[in-house]
Amino acid sequence: QVQLVESGGGLVQAGGSLGLSCAASGSVVRLGAMGWYRQAPGKQRELVAHASSSGRTNYGDSVKGRFTISVDYVEKAAYLQMNGLKPEDTAVYYCNAVLTPVASEVPREYWGPGTQVTVSS
């Protein structure tokens, strides 16, 4: 069964750092674009960071310069290093990826269940 699982969320004080991991499991023949999104209470999901299969990266304006995404295509994993965290960064962070399962050979988007990041002032 193909799935994505996030890890690394937790509680951190403002100004601190935290690293998130996202791993794809199951029989996957191709790993495409991967990214991180977040959703705070009462707000819509927003882009945090995205990495295309060609290596291009894109960041949300509110995190640019503080967060860094990296992808390991061998391990089929994505990482998000978060520095200089602010209380406004508090949200559930979701991993997103385009995966092509061996069974179907049809690429589609997958989402992880999310991991909570809480930044205290």
Side-chain angles (χ1 to χ4, degrees), residues 21-99:
S21 298
C22 172
S25 63
S27 299
V28 179
V29 67
R30 171 175 286 187
L31 173 66
M34 298 192 75
W36 290 92
Y37 297 79
R38 68 186 184 187
Q39 186 167 20
K43 301 186 68 177
Q44 293 186 326
R45 183 185 64 187
E46 65 175 344
L47 169 71
V48 175
H50 181 267
S52 71
S53 59
S54 65
R56 297 177 63 185
T57 59
N58 188 36
Y59 295 90
D61 290 339
S62 63
V63 308
K64 190 171 297 183
R66 299 187 296 121
F67 293 7
T68 303
I69 185 173
S70 60
V71 179
D72 187 330
Y73 285 96
V74 175
E75 297 295 330
K76 296 183 176 64
Y79 307 93
L80 182 69
Q81 180 62 43
M82 304 182 292
N83 299 321
L85 285 163
K86 306 174 181 179
E88 304 91 270
D89 295 319
T90 296
V92 176
Y93 285 69
Y94 298 92
C95 179
N96 171 258
V98 176
L99 305 176

